[in-house]
Each structure stands twice: as C-alpha cells, then as structure tokens.
Amino acid sequence: MSKEAMCQLEGSQVSVALRDGGRLDDCQLVSAPRGQSRMVWLFDGLMDVFVPVTDIVALWEPAPARAA
C-alpha cells in the first residue's frame, strides 16, 4: 500500500498484516508515514504501536459488522 493511500485512512480503524505473519486487528491508524518517515503510528486500544512501513504486508479497513 502506498503512503498516499495510508494517509487517506488516517483516523480509521484498520487491520494490519505483518511480514512476520502477525496481525494487528482493530487498531486506529493515527499517522501514516510522511516525508522521510518510515514508521506507521497505530493505537491498539491500550497503547501506541509504531511499525516500520517495510514490515507491513497489507493494511485495510475491516468490513463493517452486519446487524443480526
């Protein structure tokens, strides 16, 4: 995903697939990388998480929950 596409998702709830096979689900994308920055700032509900953009395989907005 490009830095520009990540910037459009700032403030949104996202899920992130990581290069090591891990995932971060239901995080808020606080800040996408800008300029020379290579870090993505996420908030997972408890703490701030900083992830190098090179460790991110995919980043997406989860589908909204369906009403029962």
Side-chain angles (χ1 to χ4, degrees):
M1 172 173 271
S2 71
K3 288 183 181 182
E4 294 79 21
M6 283 187 205
C7 286
Q8 292 178 357
L9 292 175
E10 284 182 340
S12 299
Q13 292 300 113
V14 297
S15 291
V16 182
L18 301 172
R19 183 173 307 285
D20 68 2
R23 279 180 51 157
L24 299 168
D25 290 314
D26 198 29
C27 294
Q28 180 182 11
L29 177 57
V30 177
S31 182
R34 288 187 168 66
Q36 297 300 320
S37 172
R38 302 208 188 284
M39 300 296 281
V40 173
W41 178 7
L42 302 162
F43 181 71
D44 72 358
L46 297 173
M47 59 195 268
D48 294 317
V49 179
F50 296 89
V51 180
V53 73
T54 55
D55 287 352
I56 296 174
V57 175
L59 185 146
W60 67 96
E61 280 186 289
R66 292 175 34 173

